[in-house]
Amino acid sequence: MSDTVKFVLDESRLPRTWYNIQADLPVPLPPVLHPGTHKPIGPEDLAPLFPEALIRQEVSLEREIEIPEPVRDIYRQWRPCPLFRARRLEAALQTPARIYYKWEGVSPAGSHKPNTAVPQAYYNREAGIRRIATETGAGQWGSSLAFAGALFGIEVTVFMVRVSYQQKPYRRALMETWGARCIPSPSEETESGRAILARRPDHPGSLGIAISEAVEVAARSPDTKYALGSVLNHVLLHQTVTGLEALEQLNMADDYPDIIIGCTGGGSNFAGIAFPFLGIQARGGARVRVLAVEPAACPSLTRGRYAYDYGDTAHLTPLVKMHTLGSTFTPPGFHAGGLRYHGMAPLVSHVQELGWIESVSLPQRECFAAGVQFARTEGILPAPEANHAIAAAVREAVRCREEGRSQAILFNLCGHGHFDMQAYMDYAAGRLVDQDYDPADLAMALAGLPSVS
Ligand SMILES: Cc1ncc(COP(=O)(O)O)c(C=O)c1O
């Protein structure tokens, strides 16, 4: 094998299609239900929120879905992203494992999120939509949609979780530079926001509340649609460009992964790297072990219930079957803001039920330790979310050392942490603690799950 560090695909090799895992599922996804009637919804129920092209992708069973040329054109600004062989990390760990990482932090917004922000903005523009409303936690998704909106001439309104709005002024400035309007949530602009502020004027906000506000704005304005940065089938579909590129790059390396790892907030970067390989396995090809890594403080896959639940706090979204901690669950304020969501993508939940993937939850200090080791060996400073994938890769590489096995480990390095330096400063100063969730809060949130017969 060569000693290449960086596997780079030419622009001409940018994938022409996304991969849709729904084509390869032995059991179809459970239906999405109407929040009021609990009956399966049809495309018309989603029409106030999403353009038709995205609704079609949400339910499509076609294996390959064409990436429109204007989207590929913008992807070319940073894609194909490099695949690295982590030779320096391997040496530091003294592991016989071959560690590869797909580097998504080279996008303009610094993470994998533009992979779906760009097509979502494109399909909205094609449908004549003028404005998109969305939510953001740590700001990665909001800035990605702000970037995509700027390129397609669409106004973007972002409800940003209030605590992040206060803690991350530079993410907010980035969104505003791309022309978006950024509002701290809960806000006075929506009924859902006003109801929460009436009960608690200093509410720090949550992703569930910010989603309610953005959905409300989209539902009441005919020229405005809603966009979500994770969880939904079409979002996971768009992210598969990552795994498809990685497959080709591993070909260049004459290698194939034994283990694939991704961190999971709503499940999109994980699905992006893993689903193309799971598809190969489902069609009788090479087998692969796939590991989803979540924070111990918000463990939807490892501790949540597989049940129908709402995607938001005000219960405006349809009901989807997913691993959930309950829509009222409030995770403690740990630093990987992008992983603080009560639910998990229905497709990721479904493949876990099928036994196709494993999941593990990790405490934040172990994740930061791995992120710092990564920065000191590979040079890249990862997003706190990505540190979860790195920590799991380090665990696997150490296991390989102990077992004397040379396995190939592939993980998604889904973003950089340049706007997350406060978290690194807190870690360095010994101020980070391994917070656990409140079991009473979890029990109460689970008890409040909607009863669906
Ligand atoms: C850098 C980064 N990684 C991971 C996530 C988690 O989202 P997902 O599980 O959809 O990839 C986020 C979400 O905001 C993020 O910003």
Side-chain angles (χ1 to χ4, degrees):
M1 199 174 293
S2 75
D3 55 2
T4 307
V5 165
K6 194 156 75 300
F7 298 90
V8 183
L9 286 176
D10 187 73
E11 270 179 36
S12 61
R13 311 271 294 278
L14 184 67
R16 295 188 179 276
T17 53
W18 292 298
Y19 166 65
N20 179 13
I21 199 170
Q22 293 199 70
D24 289 315
L25 293 176
V27 183
L29 271 186
V32 175
L33 305 181
H34 190 280
T37 63
H38 292 191
K39 297 270 182 293
I41 59 166
E44 63 288 354
D45 294 302
L46 293 175
L49 298 184
F50 302 106
E52 196 193 324
L54 290 175
I55 297 173
R56 273 204 309 272
Q57 289 182 357
E58 196 59 21
V59 293
S60 170
L61 298 178
E62 257 176 81
R63 182 169 291 123
E64 287 175 347
I65 295 180
E66 194 180 324
I67 306 177
E69 217 31 62
V71 171
R72 290 183 80 239
D73 214 37
I74 295 176
Y75 274 175
R76 270 193 281 272
Q77 294 290 123
W78 73 97
R79 304 207 72 89
C81 294
L83 177 86
F84 281 82
R85 170 86 186 263
R87 294 189 184 274
R88 292 169 190 280
L89 179 65
E90 288 170 19
L93 295 171
Q94 298 183 325
T95 177
R98 307 182 302 285
I99 307 176
Y100 297 90
Y101 58 92
K102 182 73 171 152
W103 179 214
E104 289 291 318
V106 290
S107 80
S111 76
H112 63 295
K113 297 282 179 182
N115 295 337
T116 183
V118 170
Q120 290 199 48
Y122 166 76
Y123 290 119
N124 272 289
R125 207 264 324 256
E126 289 300 282
I129 297 305
R130 282 192 36 244
R131 189 153 67 108
I132 304 181
T134 196
E135 71 293 325
T136 198
Q140 286 271 17
W141 166 243
S143 40
S144 301
L145 195 66
F147 152 68
L151 294 190
F152 286 109
I154 290 183
E155 278 176 46
V156 173
T157 303
V158 183
F159 289 91
M160 185 172 190
V161 175
R162 183 177 295 273
V163 57
S164 302
Y165 183 90
Q166 286 156 352
Q167 281 170 355
K168 298 199 169 191
Y170 298 133
R171 270 280 165 205
R172 189 190 346 148
L174 188 58
M175 289 182 238
E176 288 168 351
T177 305
W178 272 315
R181 188 167 161 244
C182 185
I183 305 161
S185 164
S187 77
E188 292 288 348
E189 304 220 356
T190 65
E191 264 179 48
S192 342
R194 286 191 293 274
I196 285 162
L197 289 174
R199 287 198 301 275
R200 188 176 159 191
D202 67 340
H203 199 293
S206 73
L207 266 179
I209 295 169
I211 293 174
S212 299
E213 293 208 89
V215 167
E216 191 183 317
V217 166
R220 73 172 181 224
S221 348
D223 66 347
T224 305
K225 297 279 185 210
Y226 168 67
L228 188 62
S230 187
V231 178
L232 298 175
N233 303 343
H234 66 264
V235 179
L236 276 52
L237 171 81
H238 301 155
Q239 289 295 348
T240 58
V241 67
T242 307
L244 293 167
E245 283 178 10
L247 186 61
E248 276 220 50
Q249 288 162 314
L250 283 164
N251 250 333
M252 290 166 76
D254 197 19
D255 214 342
Y256 198 85
D258 296 291
I259 308 164
I260 300 178
I261 298 173
C263 70
T264 45
S268 73
N269 87 85
F270 165 78
I273 192 104
F275 279 8
F277 293 89
L278 283 175
I280 290 170
Q281 175 179 288
R283 297 191 298 278
R287 298 194 63 76
V288 65
R289 212 183 122 211
V290 176
L291 190 55
V293 193
E294 59 184 13
C298 193
S300 56
L301 278 171
T302 52
R303 296 288 175 82
R305 194 170 297 161
Y306 185 53
Y308 273 102
D309 198 7
Y310 299 94
D312 70 323
T313 307
H315 298 173
L316 303 176
T317 67
L319 290 165
V320 293
K321 194 151 188 196
M322 61 180 174
H323 286 93
T324 177
L325 299 162
S327 63
T328 59
F329 176 79
T330 313
F334 61 91
H335 272 296
L339 308 185
R340 296 180 74 239
Y341 184 59
H342 68 272
M344 182 50 60
L347 274 171
V348 172
S349 300
H350 191 68
V351 294
Q352 176 161 291
E353 289 302 297
L354 290 175
W356 288 8
I357 66 167
E358 300 165 32
S359 48
V360 63
S361 66
L362 297 183
Q364 69 171 346
R365 276 192 307 181
E366 177 180 342
C367 297
F368 271 92
V372 169
Q373 181 173 34
F374 191 82
R376 290 180 186 175
T377 50
E378 295 293 311
I380 293 170
L381 187 125
E385 292 83 3
N387 286 345
H388 290 71
I390 299 173
V394 167
R395 279 191 182 190
E396 292 297 327
V398 169
R399 178 188 54 73
C400 284
R401 181 181 72 210
E402 286 164 356
E403 293 175 359
R405 288 173 83 187
S406 173
Q407 291 190 307
I409 302 169
L410 167 67
F411 71 88
N412 198 351
L413 188 62
C414 53
H416 69 64
H418 297 177
F419 293 94
D420 301 284
M421 295 320 296
Q422 189 59 49
Y424 280 92
M425 282 158 65
D426 289 347
Y427 174 71
R431 283 194 294 267
L432 278 200
V433 286
D434 285 337
Q435 286 157 306
D436 215 347
Y437 59 86
D438 176 356
D441 185 32
L442 176 59
M444 204 160 73
L446 287 177
L449 284 175
S451 59
V452 175
S453 47

